[in-house]
Amino acid sequence: MILSPILSANAEDILVDYYGVVSASSDTNMLKMAQDVFLTQLRSIDGVKVDDKRPDISKASASLPDFARTNAKLIFYAEISDEKNDSGQTIWNCRFNAVTQEDGITHSTTENYESYYKILIGAKNSIEKVLSDLKSPAPEFKAADKTNIAKDFKTGIDIESLAGTWSGEPFADKIIILRGGRGFVIFKNGATMNIKISVKKAVVDGISTNLEISQVGKSNASFFPELPREQALACAATASPITWNFSLTSADTLEGVKNTVIQTNDGTEKGTLSSTWNRK
């Protein structure tokens, strides 16, 4: 691997702070193995000295790490989410991030893996790609990311800036938005819903919005905790993905409506509820 200028400017090794994996997946064993593998692969790269900054080496983090100020040139961490494809197979979405301390820019690459074995044999190339992309003073983006960013400038929304932990859903413990427009809703009943964030103008119930957050993957009865169990089970079989249409009313507040299944006197029907998310 040919290292980028930021990594090869000095003869001394470049110090990288490693913060492990951020994920809400329930497959804790896989996450533990993955973050150990990433650390080993980072340490195998010439010209890099790695300081293990994981808050808990025995498990992945549930939220974005708190980056302490250090002398490290780079901060490295991975974000992992899982989802089922149409055939029911688990797909692992891995986003590898390297943050340059001098300017705070996050350089990322995202890969999808069909198994833990594929992560083992493919992750090193992805990690090296993130580091090699640092040759540019500006972050590198894939074509799909460039499209989203162009829309962001038009609407005044920077999806990357939404990353963090949010609250507001009455039956959710927390909502985690990751960089790159992905995230998860962690319900108090233990269920986890994968979500994606996109810029999309809409008018719902007379309210103008420009951000859509939508459920990814099949519905689960646990996604409807406000409904009686039997109704929730029936809804899960036929319901459309839950979506939220929001406007960013402040840097830490999203306001709008939730499109879901609501209870009526006659049973259930598609409907909307007022919704506000606040960044913690």
Side-chain angles (χ1 to χ4, degrees), residues 27-279:
D27 194 338
T28 55
N29 290 332
M30 194 289 296
L31 295 175
K32 170 63 169 63
M33 290 187 290
Q35 73 169 2
D36 289 344
V37 166
F38 298 161
L39 177 60
T40 299
Q41 291 170 334
L42 263 177
R43 284 176 167 165
S44 70
I45 298 174
D46 292 337
V48 171
K49 181 179 180 180
V50 183
D51 191 358
D52 189 354
K53 294 283 190 176
R54 289 177 291 175
D56 187 343
I57 64 173
S58 67
K59 62 182 180 180
S61 299
S63 58
L64 290 172
D66 181 14
F67 303 136
R69 296 296 299 176
T70 69
N71 293 323
K73 288 282 188 181
L74 299 174
I75 289 171
F76 189 93
Y77 66 100
E79 296 164 324
I80 297 180
S81 63
D82 58 339
E83 60 183 287
K84 300 290 186 181
N85 60 18
D86 293 339
S87 61
Q89 180 184 16
T90 299
I91 302 297
W92 297 98
N93 305 308
C94 298
R95 185 177 179 89
F96 302 95
N97 305 286
V99 184
T100 49
Q101 281 281 61
E102 61 183 4
D103 55 18
I105 292 176
T106 301
H107 305 255
S108 304
T109 189
T110 302
E111 300 291 343
N112 299 322
Y113 302 102
E114 296 177 353
S115 66
Y116 173 65
Y117 173 73
K118 293 291 181 65
I119 295 177
L120 282 180
I121 62 176
K124 185 175 181 180
N125 288 337
S126 298
I127 292 171
E128 290 182 341
K129 182 181 185 303
V130 175
L131 298 183
S132 65
D133 281 349
L134 294 176
K135 62 180 177 293
S136 171
E140 296 281 334
F141 300 100
K142 294 183 178 180
D145 295 326
K146 289 179 180 178
T147 300
N148 284 337
I149 288 170
K151 293 178 180 177
D152 294 345
F153 284 124
K154 292 177 183 178
T155 58
I157 293 179
D158 176 7
I159 290 179
E160 298 286 303
S161 70
L162 299 176
T165 302
W166 297 71
S167 63
E169 291 297 305
F171 294 94
D173 181 51
K174 67 178 66 173
I175 304 152
I176 298 173
I177 297 179
L178 305 174
R179 292 181 177 89
R182 292 278 181 168
F184 4 83
V185 177
I186 304 173
F187 292 89
K188 293 177 181 178
N189 58 24
T192 299
M193 176 199 294
N194 290 324
I195 56 175
K196 63 179 180 180
I197 299 91
S198 57
V199 174
K200 182 177 180 181
K201 289 186 177 182
V203 178
V204 183
D205 289 353
I207 300 173
S208 296
T209 61
N210 50 20
L211 189 72
E212 181 179 88
I213 298 177
S214 56
Q215 168 192 331
V216 175
K218 296 181 180 179
S219 292
N220 184 312
S222 297
F223 295 172
F224 307 97
E226 65 276 14
L227 300 178
R229 184 62 178 172
E230 290 186 2
Q231 290 183 342
L233 288 169
C235 287
T238 59
S240 301
I242 296 171
T243 61
W244 292 261
N245 291 97
F246 281 133
S247 291
L248 189 65
T249 57
S250 75
D252 298 314
T253 306
L254 294 168
E255 293 185 358
V257 295
K258 177 181 180 180
N259 308 283
T260 184
V261 176
I262 60 174
Q263 191 169 20
T264 67
N265 292 334
D266 300 323
T268 59
E269 64 180 27
K270 292 182 180 179
T272 59
L273 301 170
S274 297
S275 184
T276 301
W277 290 6
N278 296 294
R279 196 193 319 248

Side-chain angles (χ1 to χ4, degrees), residues 14-26:
I14 299 301
L15 180 59
V16 176
D17 282 350
Y18 176 64
Y19 281 85
V21 167
V22 179
S23 181
S25 172
S26 60

